[in-house]
């Protein structure tokens, strides 16, 4: 028997085995379709249940993902055992256990982001819609998945941040509360009556809209600066970025107008020149040549 006959017999045996496997493949395909339908149906049920409960949007997404992944894992295991009758769930789990270490090293970043995404979704802080700051990225959280978080920057660019970055680094949630405290520095000249300046600034703040007058407004004389004595002015307003810019604009304009009306100078940096030797001065008349 030559090599061609051996190859032909092997190909025929493979063809016979494939034809015999067709019914199993069809059944496995049907199982996958049923799994897809069951996953969509389960997600609808989860949507109805979670919509009635006071659950955060990120937690809803986590429940949807876990339910969907669980159904697909069961469906894929059933389909695999149908296509390969010798494969049992126990042997499949044992085989996965052998390759867990290799898979873990190969997909280390993936699993790190995956676990970080679960923890981010579970914890109460950093909800969808919050404005956050992390690693120089400032923006609004639009979507949280198991691997990444979508942050819409204030200039409207979309930044896709790996969940491990948000989990391992400090994250400032700017809109965690309805209000934030803001502050500015106001400098007055050294010859100013500081009590008068404080009163003028406070009156400007008391008559101002857009800030919370139910909370304390602080006005402290802070330090002796190079050309001025500086006041620290602090107030509370909305926590959104637009609220910050709007309230700060109103405060700066109101304080400036009040100090101008009271005749209080907001000095710019002064420069004093000191000469170690006498400097000769010459009048303008003496510098002109004598007239004929």
């Amino acid at each position: 028997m030559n090599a061609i006959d051996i190859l032909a017999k092997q190909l025929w045996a493979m063809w016979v085995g494939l034809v015999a496997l067709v019914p199993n493949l069809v059944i496995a395909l049907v199982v996958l379709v049923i799994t897809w339908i069951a996953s969509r149906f389960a997600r609808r049920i989860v949507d109805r249940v979670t919509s009635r409960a006071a659950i955060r949007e990120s937690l809803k997404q986590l429940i949807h993902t876990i339910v969907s992944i669980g159904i697909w894992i069961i469906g894929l295991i059933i389909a695999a055992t149908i296509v390969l009758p010798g494969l049992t769930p126990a042997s499949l789990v044992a085989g996965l256990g052998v390759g867990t270490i290799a898979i873990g090293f190969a997909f280390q970043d993936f699993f790190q982001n995956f676990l970080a995404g679960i923890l981010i979704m579970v914890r109460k802080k950093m909800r969808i819609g919050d404005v956050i700051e992390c690693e120089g990225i400032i923006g609004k959280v639009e979507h949280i998945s198991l691997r990444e978080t979508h942050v819409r920057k204030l200039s409207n660019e979309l930044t896709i941040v790996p969940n491990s970055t948000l989990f391992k680094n400090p994250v400032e949630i700017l809109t965690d509360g309805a209000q934030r405290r803001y502050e500015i520095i106001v400098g007055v000249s050294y010859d100013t009556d500081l009590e008068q300046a404080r009163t003028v600034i406070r009156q400007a703040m008391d008559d101002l809209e857009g800030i919370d007058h139910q909370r304390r407004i602080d006005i402290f004389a802070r330090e002796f600066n190079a050309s001025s004595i500086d006041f620290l002015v602090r107030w509370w307003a909305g926590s959104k970025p637009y609220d910050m810019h709007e309230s700060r604009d109103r405060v700066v304009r109101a304080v400036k107008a009040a100090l101008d009306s009271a005749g209080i100078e907001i000095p710019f940096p002064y420069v004093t020149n000191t000469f170690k030797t006498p400097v000769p001065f010459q009048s303008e008349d003496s510098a002109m040549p004598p007239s004929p």
Side-chain angles (χ1 to χ4, degrees), residues 17-31 78-85:
L18 180 62
V19 171
L21 196 61
V22 167
N24 292 349
L25 292 174
V26 173
I27 296 174
L29 182 61
V30 172
V31 169
I78 295 174
T81 54
I82 292 174
V83 174
L84 302 173

Side-chain angles (χ1 to χ4, degrees), residues 130-251:
D130 278 335
V131 178
I132 65 171
E133 179 177 0
C134 178
E135 293 295 293
I137 301 171
I138 304 177
K140 182 179 180 180
V141 178
E142 287 192 345
H143 177 71
I144 302 175
S145 66
L146 287 176
R147 184 181 179 276
E148 61 198 17
T149 297
H150 297 178
V151 179
R152 179 74 61 179
K153 299 177 69 175
L154 302 181
S155 52
N156 204 37
E157 295 93 350
L158 180 65
T159 303
I160 299 177
V161 184
N163 287 332
S164 59
T165 300
L166 297 175
F167 188 75
K168 293 188 298 184
N169 297 287
V171 178
E172 292 187 14
I173 305 176
L174 305 181
T175 54
D176 181 63
Q179 291 184 333
R180 291 169 57 196
R181 190 179 66 184
Y182 305 101
E183 62 182 41
I184 61 171
I185 302 296
V186 180
V188 298
S189 60
Y190 271 87
D191 58 355
T192 301
D193 184 345
L194 298 185
E195 290 302 323
Q196 180 190 4
R198 186 199 303 271
T199 302
V200 171
I201 295 174
R202 183 167 296 281
Q203 289 176 352
M205 299 290 291
D206 290 340
D207 299 334
L208 195 60
E209 296 181 358
I211 65 176
D212 187 2
H213 294 282
Q214 301 298 323
R215 308 188 74 163
R216 189 176 65 189
I217 298 174
D218 298 324
I219 304 173
F220 299 114
R222 181 172 182 175
E223 63 180 344
F224 296 93
N225 213 330
S227 303
S228 63
I229 296 179
D230 292 342
F231 281 94
L232 175 64
V233 182
R234 302 192 303 190
W235 71 96
W236 291 82
S239 60
K240 295 181 180 179
Y242 180 81
D243 297 333
M244 174 191 68
H245 295 297
E246 183 182 36
S247 66
R248 184 167 292 171
D249 171 74
R250 291 181 177 180
V251 169

Side-chain angles (χ1 to χ4, degrees), residues 73-90:
I73 289 176
I74 295 174
L76 290 174
I77 291 176
I78 295 174
T81 54
I82 292 174
V83 174
L84 302 173
L87 181 65
T88 62

